[in-house]
Amino acid sequence: MLSTYTYPRYTYRRPPELDAPRAVHRHPVVVVGAGPVGLATAIDLAQQGQRVLLLDDDDTVSIGSRGLCWAKRTLEILDRLGCGDAVVAKGVQWNVGRTFHREQEVFNFNLLPEPDHRRPGMVNLQQYYVEQFLVERAMALPLIDLRWKSRVTQVQRSDTSAMLTVQTTDGDYTVQADWLVVADGARSPVRRMLGLDMEGQVFKDRFLIADVVMKEPLFAEGAAERWFWFDPPFHPGQSVLLHREADNVWRIDFQLGWDADPELEKQPEKVIPRIQAMLGHARRPQASASASALAHENPGPAADAFELEWVSVYTFQCRRMKQLRHGRVLFAGDAAHQVSPFGARGANSGIQDADNLAWKLKAVIDGLAPQALLDSYDAERGAAADENLMNSTRSTDFLTPKSQVSRDFRNAVLTLAREHSFARALVNSGRLSVPTHAVDSALNTADEDRFAGTQHPGSPLADAPVQQGGRAGWLLQHLGQRFQLLWYRPGDEERAAMNDVVPTLVVGDTAAEHEDAALIDSHGRVRERLDLQPGTAYLLRPDQHVAARWRSPTPAKVRAAIHRALARH
């Protein structure tokens, strides 16, 4: 039990299949696992009009805070799924991270250095809250049949379906899934049932996670930053990470080393002194005071100044499945790939898996695309997994040097970073989650014109402030769930010719200049970020990624790009 959160208990209901055991119970889509990834997949499909059976072997949300940092792109996806506002309102927003070596700050970064974005670089919120918001959204959608206390015990797959045996308190039943999405976590029972495995490495180090409830604010009201220490005085020779969460809870990660006893390190008598020593240093740096001076002023709180909320010891892995698609079975999230927690790439990557998969699966089910479109899920999200594994492995190598030479190099970099900018670029306390730009995807239509900026085919579209009917809003609020052509100041004849090809969303500069513009670029950010000229158009996929762009689109070009984006070329 947690002092700051009451776990919901969701109602198990007897499945109707038990009352007709001899019938074949067919479902177009079955999703296994009601964590963030499974819930996001089911919600996305349901919002597109697809019925989904969602199975979970528990009746509540995740135990412990687990996933914590939700990246800007993930927040934009949650906006589209109807949960973004709840997550941002409850969570702690932040953009700045600081890295310390011993007692001095050597590096800092800003995840969102430019203005006019709806969402911050990161929001910290315990995973159980995010899951709760997603469950509430899923239960509000009649196309989702969410079944608790339903454990999948057997899976058999064929070329046309997957057959699942589901265990409940009332007995076992069998369902046939035309398509099976597996999102049942890092230990994935379904993956093991199918005899599939991951490739990669397990890192020989242990980390202690402690969620701590502070009786008084640790920093000034509103302060929220990511703090990371290498070799701090309060935990010499190791590293420490500090984050603020909702409910005045603070997440602290202590590197322990491979020889640490996991059960011993979780005991309060071991954890509390570590936290007391760390909190004595966790004061906002001042220009005229060193960290040691601040520590002397405040050597650490008493044990009753905080209470332990949740404690866990973990090792981590950087691994992934060689293929994410196995015929009618598709893997997503931790069931498909695992990374270290430094960088917040796990849950964020998993929700982006769901974002990529749902619209493609719906297009295949509706007969709008061949099954080859699902191979692009494997290609695009496999490349994203490789990118995450690369960054996660590099971060881990920097955090836990495997030789004395590596350690000497790491320490030299940290020392030089205090004075030299070239060394700061080498400091790696976890490269934080950013969306993968699928620039090599076979679904992209190559540019035939020159564009500035980073909004090339395969990239998620950047948000920007807009107005519609005199009301302020955001660009991404108007995009998603279908193919759309975002068109800047098109001519009337060109627009009329495009009517039968694709839904069009027109952008203008002012209402007076373009009276029938659906969106007004109120701050000029849309024009700036997309390098717009009169007549420029962007074709957007249902997941808000750029499929193609032109200075002068024609119906034939747009139609061909849609065919390519649906793998019909």
Side-chain angles (χ1 to χ4, degrees):
M1 297 295 294
L2 304 180
S3 64
T4 60
Y5 181 77
T6 301
Y7 279 92
R9 292 292 173 184
Y10 300 111
T11 303
Y12 160 81
R13 294 182 175 85
R14 178 182 172 88
E17 288 85 352
L18 289 172
D19 298 321
R22 296 184 179 180
V24 176
H25 304 285
R26 175 181 167 273
H27 295 267
V29 181
V30 175
V31 178
V32 180
V37 179
L39 285 161
T41 304
I43 293 168
D44 205 340
L45 285 165
Q47 289 186 165
Q48 298 177 68
Q50 179 60 55
R51 289 191 174 275
V52 181
L53 173 61
L54 176 56
L55 304 172
D56 194 86
D57 61 2
D58 204 351
D59 63 352
T60 189
V61 293
S62 65
I63 303 301
S65 59
R66 297 196 181 186
L68 173 65
C69 302
W70 307 92
K72 178 176 179 291
R73 178 58 195 154
T74 300
L75 297 172
E76 292 166 351
I77 296 168
L78 293 174
D79 282 334
R80 189 169 57 78
L81 301 182
C83 303
D85 285 342
V87 170
V88 174
K90 182 63 180 177
V92 175
Q93 303 180 37
W94 66 276
N95 293 306
V96 175
R98 300 182 186 277
T99 298
F100 302 88
H101 182 215
R102 297 181 181 136
E103 299 179 348
Q104 289 189 315
E105 181 176 339
V106 297
F107 177 72
N108 63 68
F109 59 83
N110 189 336
L111 294 173
L112 204 64
E114 61 180 19
D116 292 328
H117 287 271
R118 182 185 186 193
R119 296 310 187 194
M122 286 280 178
V123 165
N124 286 357
L125 184 62
Q126 297 90 313
Q127 183 172 318
Y128 42 75
Y129 277 118
V130 177
E131 287 188 20
Q132 179 181 332
F133 297 147
L134 287 165
V135 168
E136 291 168 357
R137 174 61 176 155
M139 294 176 73
L141 295 172
L143 293 179
I144 296 178
D145 183 356
L146 176 49
R147 300 185 186 179
W148 302 103
K149 305 298 281 186
S150 299
R151 181 186 300 275
V152 175
T153 59
Q154 188 175 358
V155 178
Q156 296 176 320
R157 59 190 176 100
S158 68
D159 292 339
T160 58
S161 65
M163 196 71 69
L164 288 75
T165 300
V166 184
Q167 181 185 78
T168 74
T169 56
D170 291 320
D172 295 357
Y173 65 94
T174 301
V175 295
Q176 180 182 354
D178 291 345
W179 296 95
L180 175 62
V181 178
V182 182
D184 56 350
R187 294 182 175 87
S188 185
V190 171
R191 189 183 65 231
R192 293 200 301 269
M193 291 173 203
L194 295 176
L196 301 171
D197 205 352
M198 292 189 174
E199 299 177 354
Q201 59 182 314
V202 178
F203 289 89
K204 290 187 175 182
D205 206 341
R206 301 189 196 279
F207 288 80
L208 170 74
I209 291 179
D211 278 359
V212 179
V213 183
M214 295 300 299
K215 301 296 179 64
E216 296 180 0
L218 184 58
F219 292 146
E221 186 64 28
E225 298 177 347
R226 176 190 194 261
W227 282 24
F228 192 100
W229 288 268
F230 288 99
D231 191 18
F234 56 85
H235 193 53
Q238 304 286 11
S239 62
V240 178
L241 174 64
L242 175 68
H243 272 290
R244 179 180 164 192
E245 307 176 40
D247 302 327
N248 204 31
V249 177
W250 294 78
R251 161 74 65 82
I252 311 169
D253 289 56
F254 293 95
Q255 185 180 16
L256 299 176
W258 183 242
D259 295 330
D261 183 330
E263 294 306 314
L264 178 62
E265 293 294 344
K266 288 190 291 186
Q267 300 305 312
E269 57 268 23
K270 291 283 287 184
V271 177
I272 288 174
R274 293 192 192 280
I275 295 172
Q276 287 178 290
M278 190 282 300
L279 293 179
H281 284 69
R283 299 276 306 279
R284 180 168 292 279
Q286 305 292 328
S288 59
S290 68
S292 59
L294 289 170
H296 181 72
E297 294 171 10
N298 181 21
D304 60 359
F306 60 88
E307 63 183 49
L308 296 180
E309 181 82 336
W310 179 63
V311 177
S312 179
V313 173
Y314 65 92
T315 59
F316 50 79
Q317 308 174 22
C318 289
R319 307 191 304 159
R320 84 167 181 98
M321 297 181 69
K322 188 175 182 180
Q323 293 177 287
L324 308 189
R325 180 192 176 198
H326 292 263
R328 294 280 178 143
V329 183
L330 303 121
F331 289 82
D334 285 351
H337 42 73
Q338 299 165 30
V339 294
S340 76
F342 296 103
R345 293 176 177 271
N348 286 296
S349 179
I351 288 181
Q352 290 170 54
D353 288 348
D355 182 52
N356 187 286
L357 174 58
W359 74 269
K360 295 175 180 179
L361 185 54
K362 177 61 174 171
V364 171
I365 292 171
D366 289 348
L368 300 176
Q371 291 189 26
L373 180 60
L374 295 174
D375 293 332
S376 76
Y377 166 71
D378 179 86
E380 292 184 353
R381 295 312 299 167
D386 288 339
E387 182 178 302
N388 284 324
L389 287 171
M390 177 191 68
N391 282 287
S392 186
T393 299
R394 288 176 177 176
S395 297
T396 303
D397 287 341
F398 198 83
L399 291 171
T400 59
K402 296 180 175 59
S403 68
Q404 189 58 46
V405 172
S406 296
R407 184 174 295 276
D408 291 342
F409 171 78
R410 195 273 305 272
N411 292 341
V413 166
L414 292 169
T415 300
L416 290 168
R418 300 173 187 175
E419 303 292 339
H420 303 285
S421 60
F422 81 89
R424 294 180 195 126
L426 300 175
V427 175
N428 193 336
S429 60
R431 298 284 189 257
L432 291 169
S433 175
V434 293
T436 298
H437 292 238
V439 294
D440 297 323
S441 173
L443 305 188
N444 298 339
T445 295
D447 285 336
E448 60 184 35
D449 305 300
R450 287 193 173 188
F451 286 84
T454 61
Q455 294 293 280
H456 35 62
S459 301
L461 194 71
D463 206 3
V466 295
Q467 288 186 357
Q468 184 181 44
R471 292 179 298 179
W474 297 90
L475 178 61
L476 292 183
Q477 290 177 315
H478 301 274
L479 299 168
Q481 307 294 151
R482 61 179 181 171
F483 283 95
Q484 287 176 275
L485 192 70
L486 186 68
W487 209 346
Y488 178 62
R489 297 172 60 185
D492 293 338
E493 292 184 6
E494 289 81 359
R495 285 183 62 192
M498 202 69 72
N499 285 340
D500 295 331
V501 179
V502 65
T504 299
L505 188 61
V506 173
V507 177
D509 294 326
T510 66
E513 178 188 75
H514 211 291
E515 294 182 359
D516 58 350
L519 299 178
I520 302 302
D521 184 15
S522 52
H523 290 59
R525 297 296 185 188
V526 182
R527 185 173 68 254
E528 172 189 314
R529 290 171 183 162
L530 303 188
D531 186 24
L532 298 180
Q533 301 171 8
T536 298
Y538 278 69
L539 177 66
L540 285 309
R541 305 186 331 188
D543 59 359
Q544 301 175 332
H545 280 61
V546 177
R549 57 185 178 175
W550 305 271
R551 291 302 183 191
S552 299
T554 66
K557 290 178 181 179
V558 174
R559 190 176 287 111
I562 293 173
H563 278 260
R564 176 175 288 275
L566 289 169
R568 291 179 358 199
H569 59 282

